[in-house]
């Protein structure tokens, strides 16, 4: 039984428990001629929580733990082949795909379980291709046996999961219904359960952050065991090769990332800030009513569309202006993919990040500050420049920080607009690439995570994380320093 069906059955049991517990509490109150401690719905919710809470939690844990346990039980079948030089992760991926393909073939009636067990290994690849399953290599006897064992263990685990989860839901509903008595403090129980849900939600957010950081840290440490840290941080050549002899210097990627982000901010920050000042201080409310939504629509355009715009429109226009055959005749730009192309388009994308937040911050400045400045004889422009903007500076710094973080993490605009060349150059009309683009390229396809060429993606991600953290620290220092002048 699929997990979705199990969840639906659990929710149905919880709904039945709600109805029966509510009715039982009301009936007990009438028989004993006593008032209920809580409203009837609380007794129903108690039974529903008892039924659904533990059962759904167990279902989630089971879904995470079962594949891990299955891999551990299947691996001994493949261990002999892995000792001959095959990549363990790729072998296990083929086993999982083969097992899924056999399940699909049996479900469609193409194969029977007996035929799947007796089918020779050399014929399995063709059968899987007919099912739309692509395997990384030819099927060996060990791979076939491992896939059959995977199916057996998974089938047993799925059956046990269905019985245990549904049984736990029934037991929880029965306990909740039994406790539906007038003296039971159902409201307190429901409130404690909801408090637990809220705490769990907060912990999930915190633990997710911790998990992301730990995943980056451990894989980065593993990378530096295989590749010298000094060559990574100070190397000026990026030339990965999965066959060996890679040069994985981050400096060209880091330079391209910061260069493109800098140009993007040069475009986005002035335009976004001026647009925010106009919308907040000068625009009529009718103009603001349609201008601000139109401006914010830029944030809703997919980045792949921006990338296509950079590739097909902005790049050719820049070549016409700055290329060798352009009307300026400068010869600075050899092709449409360049730092300037990606930076200009990324800056357009970042305008709403700066303008929308800055507009909200400027509107939050107390009107009394404006009135006081105008009352002292300052003009509107002087009031904006000397009173409103300094008072809103912490929020504006936050908006610029958000735009900078978004620029550093952008991928699609860079891939289509800036090219894939990792180089150190001051010319903004040269093609370059960024850290995020190379993370994608290094993890595309079946990556072997025992090689430095794949693990370098985690080191690149860790570098971006540290850069973003440093931006936050600097922004916090700026905010605290300037906020003291206006409190």
């Amino acid at each position: 039984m699929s997990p979705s069906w199990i969840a639906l059955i659990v929710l149905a049991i919880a709904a039945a428990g709600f109805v029966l517990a509510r009715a039982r509490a009301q009936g007990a109150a009438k028989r004993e001629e006593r008032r209920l401690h809580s409203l009837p719905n609380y007794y129903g919710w108690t039974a529903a929580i008892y039924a659904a809470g533990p059962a759904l939690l167990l279902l989630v844990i089971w879904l995470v733990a079962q594949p891990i346990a299955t891999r551990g039980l299947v691996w001994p079948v493949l261990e002999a082949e892995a000792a001959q030089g095959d990549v363990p992760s790729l072998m296990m991926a083929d086993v999982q795909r083969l097992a899924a393909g056999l399940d699909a073939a049996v479900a469609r009636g193409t194969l029977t379980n007996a035929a799947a067990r007796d089918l020779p290994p050399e014929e399995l690849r063709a059968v899987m291709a007919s099912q739309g399953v692509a395997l990384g290599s030819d099927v060996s006897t060990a791979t076939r046996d491992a896939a059959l064992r995977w199916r057996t263990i998974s089938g047993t685990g799925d059956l046990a999961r269905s019985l245990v989860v549904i049984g736990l839901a029934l037991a929880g509903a029965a306990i909740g219904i039994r406790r539906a008595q007038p003296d039971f403090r159902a409201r307190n129980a429901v409130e404690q359960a909801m408090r637990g849900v809220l705490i769990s939600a907060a912990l999930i957010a915190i633990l997710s952050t911790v998990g992301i950081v730990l995943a980056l840290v451990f894989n980065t440490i593993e990378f530096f065991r295989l590749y010298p840290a000094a060559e990574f941080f100070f190397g000026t050549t990026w030339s990965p090769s999965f066959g060996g002899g890679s040069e994985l210097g981050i400096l060209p990627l880091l330079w391209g990332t910061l260069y493109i982000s800098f140009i993007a901010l040069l475009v986005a920050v002035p335009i976004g800030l001026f647009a925010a000042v106009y919308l907040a201080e000068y625009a009529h409310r009718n103009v603001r009513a349609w201008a601000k939504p139109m401006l914010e629509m830029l944030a809703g355009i997919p980045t792949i569309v921006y990338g296509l715009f950079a590739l097909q429109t902005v790049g050719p226009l820049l070549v016409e202006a700055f290329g060798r055959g352009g009307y300026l005749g400068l010869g600075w730009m050899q092709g449409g993919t360049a730092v300037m192309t990606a930076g200009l388009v990324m800056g357009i994308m970042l305008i709403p990040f700066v303008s929308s937040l800055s507009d909200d911050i400027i509107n939050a400045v107390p009107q009394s500050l404006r009135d006081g400045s105008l009352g002292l004889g300052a003009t509107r422009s002087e009031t904006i420049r000397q009173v409103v903007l300094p008072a809103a500076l912490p929020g504006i710094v936050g908006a610029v920080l958000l735009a900078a973080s978004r620029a550093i993490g952008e991928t699609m605009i860079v891939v289509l607009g800036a090219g894939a060349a990792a180089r150190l150059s001051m010319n903004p009309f040269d093609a370059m690439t960024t850290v995020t683009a190379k993370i994608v390229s290094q993890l595309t396809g079946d990556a072997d995570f025992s090689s430095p060429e794949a693990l370098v993606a985690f080191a690149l991600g860790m570098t971006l994380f540290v850069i973003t953290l440093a931006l936050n620290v600097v922004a916090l220092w700026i905010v605290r320093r300037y906020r003291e002048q206006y409190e």
Side-chain angles (χ1 to χ4, degrees):
M1 187 180 297
S2 66
S4 57
W5 278 107
I6 297 175
L8 288 175
I9 292 173
V10 169
L11 293 177
I13 294 172
F18 175 89
V19 175
L20 294 176
R22 186 176 185 277
R24 177 182 170 86
Q26 291 176 323
K30 290 180 180 179
R31 287 194 306 270
E32 300 176 18
E33 296 182 353
R34 295 175 55 187
R35 293 182 58 188
L36 294 173
H37 172 272
S38 308
L39 294 174
N41 282 346
Y42 282 111
Y43 294 92
W45 281 116
T46 300
I49 291 171
Y50 283 1
L56 293 178
L57 180 61
L58 177 62
L59 177 61
V60 171
I61 295 174
W62 199 301
L63 290 174
V64 173
Q66 180 173 326
I68 299 174
T70 305
R71 290 190 192 97
L73 294 173
V74 169
W75 176 246
V77 181
L78 298 171
E79 198 164 5
E81 284 196 7
Q84 299 174 6
D86 291 335
V87 179
S89 60
L90 298 180
M91 293 173 62
M92 190 58 70
D94 274 350
V95 167
Q96 292 181 245
R97 283 195 290 266
L98 181 56
L102 290 173
D103 288 338
V106 171
R108 295 171 185 172
T110 307
L111 289 176
T112 62
N113 285 316
R117 289 192 297 270
D118 299 335
L119 200 64
E122 57 272 12
E123 298 181 13
L124 277 173
R125 189 177 180 90
V127 174
M128 292 300 100
S130 66
Q131 300 297 318
V133 177
L135 300 177
S137 59
D138 292 331
V139 180
S140 63
T141 302
T143 305
R144 182 199 63 181
D145 294 342
L148 294 175
R149 187 170 185 179
W150 183 287
R151 291 189 66 219
T152 302
I153 295 173
S154 296
T156 304
D158 291 347
L159 178 61
R161 179 185 64 204
S162 302
L163 295 176
V164 172
V165 172
I166 294 175
L168 183 60
L170 290 171
I175 294 173
I177 294 171
R178 185 176 180 181
R179 298 192 70 177
Q181 298 293 333
D183 58 347
F184 177 61
R185 298 177 178 270
R187 183 183 64 190
N188 296 352
V190 172
E191 289 177 350
Q192 288 178 359
M194 293 308 301
R195 182 181 180 184
V197 169
L198 297 176
I199 293 175
S200 300
L203 288 177
I204 288 174
I206 296 172
L207 294 177
S208 298
T209 304
V210 173
I212 292 171
V213 173
L214 291 179
L216 288 175
V217 169
F218 290 142
N219 286 284
T220 301
I221 292 173
E222 183 63 26
F223 167 73
F224 287 129
R225 289 176 181 171
L226 302 174
Y227 193 86
E231 294 184 17
F232 174 75
F233 287 112
F234 302 107
T236 58
T237 302
W238 176 266
S239 178
S241 173
F242 282 90
S246 297
E247 294 184 74
L248 304 175
I250 194 178
L251 288 181
L253 309 183
L254 198 58
W255 172 251
T257 300
L258 298 178
Y259 203 173
I260 294 174
S261 300
F262 176 72
I263 293 176
L265 292 177
L266 284 181
V267 174
V269 173
I271 296 176
L273 186 56
F274 292 162
V277 171
Y278 170 74
L279 291 174
E281 299 294 332
Y282 291 101
H284 189 272
R285 62 177 179 273
N286 294 332
V287 176
R288 177 184 170 85
W290 65 265
K292 187 173 182 181
M294 291 293 292
L295 189 61
E296 292 176 346
M297 284 180 63
L298 290 173
I301 299 176
T303 56
I304 185 67
V305 176
Y306 280 111
L308 293 174
F309 176 65
L311 182 65
Q312 296 184 351
T313 304
V314 177
L317 287 176
L318 291 177
V319 171
E320 289 184 9
F322 301 99
R324 188 176 303 278
Y327 52 79
L328 295 180
L330 299 175
W332 292 348
M333 196 168 182
Q334 305 301 320
T337 55
V339 171
M340 186 63 69
T341 304
L344 289 176
V345 176
M346 193 184 299
I348 295 172
M349 181 194 70
L350 295 178
I351 288 174
F353 289 88
V354 178
S355 65
S356 182
L357 290 176
S358 299
D359 175 57
D360 294 336
I361 294 299
I362 292 173
N363 280 318
V365 174
Q367 184 62 33
S368 59
L369 293 180
R370 298 179 178 86
D371 295 340
S373 176
L374 294 172
L376 291 173
T379 64
R380 175 177 285 188
S381 61
E382 290 173 337
T383 299
I384 294 171
R385 187 175 64 254
Q386 298 178 8
V387 176
V388 176
L389 289 182
L393 184 62
I396 294 173
V397 170
V400 174
L401 172 64
L402 176 61
S405 300
R406 184 68 180 84
I408 290 174
E410 177 53 39
T411 304
M412 291 310 303
I413 296 177
V414 175
V415 171
L416 297 178
R423 60 162 59 98
L424 290 167
S425 173
M426 290 295 296
N427 185 4
F429 299 101
D430 280 344
M432 296 186 196
T433 190
T434 63
V435 173
T436 55
K438 288 306 176 183
I439 290 176
V440 174
S441 64
Q442 294 306 112
L443 296 181
T444 301
D446 292 329
D448 177 16
F449 286 97
S450 62
S451 66
E453 290 78 16
L455 290 172
V456 69
F458 295 96
L460 294 174
M462 192 67 194
T463 304
L464 282 185
F465 174 79
V466 172
I467 291 173
T468 306
L469 181 63
L471 283 175
N472 279 275
V473 172
V474 172
L476 183 61
W477 175 77
I478 294 174
V479 168
R480 288 181 175 176
R481 177 179 178 182
Y482 285 93
R483 180 177 292 173
E484 292 176 354
Q485 299 181 8
Y486 300 98
E487 287 180 346

